[in-house]
Amino acid sequence: MPLVSSKEMVNDAYRNHYAIGAFPAHNLEMIRAITEAADDLNVPIILQSTPATIYYMGMDHMVSMVKTAADGVSVPVSLHLDHGESIRTVHQCVRGGYNSIMIDGSLLPFEENIDLVKQVVSVCHDVDVPVEAELGAIGKADDESQDMEYYTDPSMAEEFVYRTKIDFLAAAFGTAHGQYKKAPRLDFDRVKKISEQTGVPIVMHGASGVPDEDLKRAIGCGVSKVNFSTELKQAFFKELSHFLHENPLQNDPRKVFVTSREAVKSIVKEKLLLLKPIPKAVQ
């Protein structure tokens, strides 16, 4: 089916206490693995890319591949900009065919973050594109931004959402991007307060490596969109390395990536099953 906005799917998840999985569209193999897994389980999906991925693949290639993949499945698929860094990138993505946007001004002072987000909301809401923004600092798994001083303050979050009119809030409450050296300790009371005080769906970044029980508990606290990336990349390259080791003479690109795609598809299914109960008929 054609690409759809992420707004309706994420809001439904928020109202009904489940979450939508958001996964990286790094290349054709990833895109196919993710959309096929969602189709097999009959659940909506978000494919997302950072500005660096768009630069690597090219806007036209990215949008065309995702649209083609979406047309080939019977579940809703949304194309989302992850960690957009500028209003210019937002304009390019909206014109190019993205129907969900994240602007990341989390490293800016509070008022400057608000000003940037308000500009993006003005552009996007005029064409019915939802906006996600970040408050606090969701850093890397090995940097200091995991310290509680960088966590999202619920009262500031309430003001931030009220003034910007964003659709979803990326909150910092203990997760981080990348590979964790040990399981993260999530501040569930904080994310629950943020959800209650803002009234908008909360986005969990850095979900790869979060224990299953913590993920489910976070969903109960208002998390309605969950971003996975590291585990997919690890599965892809682990299987690719294994395949090349076992098949050193293989030189057909059409065969090299098949098992890696299946490895990613398996991980995506595992994550989707955690986020929402799947009807027995499609398990």
Side-chain angles (χ1 to χ4, degrees):
M1 60 187 298
L3 287 174
V4 301
S5 166
S6 66
K7 185 172 183 177
E8 183 176 345
M9 64 173 77
V10 176
N11 282 341
D12 185 75
Y14 185 63
R15 289 190 298 266
N16 294 290
H17 310 294
Y18 65 96
I20 303 298
F23 301 91
H26 287 308
N27 57 23
L28 175 61
E29 308 303 333
M30 287 281 200
I31 292 168
R32 285 191 57 189
I34 295 162
T35 52
E36 289 172 9
D39 201 37
D40 287 350
L41 297 179
N42 194 31
V43 295
I45 200 78
I46 295 172
L47 284 164
Q48 54 189 32
S49 58
T50 61
T53 305
I54 296 170
Y55 178 79
Y56 166 71
M57 292 182 65
M59 178 73 72
D60 292 343
H61 288 93
M62 171 67 73
V63 175
S64 295
M65 285 194 290
V66 172
K67 282 184 175 179
T68 299
D71 286 341
V73 297
S74 59
V75 296
V77 178
S78 181
L79 178 56
H80 176 79
L81 171 65
D82 190 30
H83 292 286
E85 83 287 17
S86 68
I87 190 71
R88 178 185 178 189
T89 299
V90 170
H91 276 291
Q92 291 173 335
C93 286
V94 171
R95 287 196 299 264
Y98 280 66
N99 47 23
S100 186
I101 294 292
M102 178 196 180
I103 183 67
D104 184 357
S106 60
L107 298 182
L108 298 173
F110 184 68
E111 290 295 334
E112 291 182 29
N113 191 0
I114 286 178
D115 288 344
L116 174 62
V117 175
K118 287 174 70 174
Q119 292 179 58
V120 171
V121 168
S122 178
V123 169
C124 292
H125 283 188
D126 279 349
V127 289
D128 296 323
V129 172
V131 177
E132 172 188 339
E134 182 173 329
L135 183 66
I138 306 166
K140 296 182 179 179
D142 58 355
D143 70 20
E144 64 178 6
S145 61
Q146 285 183 282
D147 293 342
M148 291 187 66
E149 65 179 294
Y150 294 93
Y151 287 10
T152 304
D153 177 88
S155 296
M156 293 181 71
E158 182 178 12
E159 180 183 355
F160 185 78
V161 171
Y162 176 78
R163 291 174 61 185
T164 60
K165 311 302 181 188
I166 57 171
D167 300 278
F168 322 130
L169 177 66
F173 57 98
T175 60
H177 300 103
Q179 185 173 1
Y180 296 105
K181 296 178 181 178
K182 57 182 179 180
R185 297 179 62 183
L186 306 188
D187 189 338
F188 297 104
D189 289 339
R190 181 183 298 268
V191 72
K192 185 176 181 180
K193 287 179 182 177
I194 293 169
S195 175
E196 291 172 347
Q197 292 186 217
T198 63
V200 298
I202 306 302
V203 181
M204 176 190 285
H205 285 244
S208 291
V210 173
D212 294 353
E213 60 273 18
D214 286 356
L215 185 57
K216 292 179 180 179
R217 186 176 174 187
I219 291 171
C221 293
V223 168
S224 307
K225 174 176 176 276
V226 181
N227 294 7
F228 300 97
S229 181
T230 299
E231 286 181 83
L232 274 65
K233 292 185 288 186
Q234 289 173 334
F236 185 92
F237 284 104
K238 180 179 179 180
E239 177 54 36
L240 179 60
S241 178
H242 173 75
F243 179 89
L244 293 174
H245 178 77
E246 295 295 318
N247 302 274
L249 300 181
Q250 179 59 257
N251 62 3
D252 188 342
R254 296 168 298 178
K255 297 179 180 179
V256 168
F257 298 112
V258 173
T259 58
S260 292
R261 184 174 70 231
E262 290 302 311
V264 171
K265 185 175 178 179
S266 178
I267 295 291
V268 172
K269 283 188 174 183
E270 290 178 9
K271 300 305 180 184
L272 292 177
L273 286 167
L274 285 171
L275 302 183
K276 181 179 181 179
I278 306 299
K280 293 182 179 179
V282 295
Q283 283 188 11

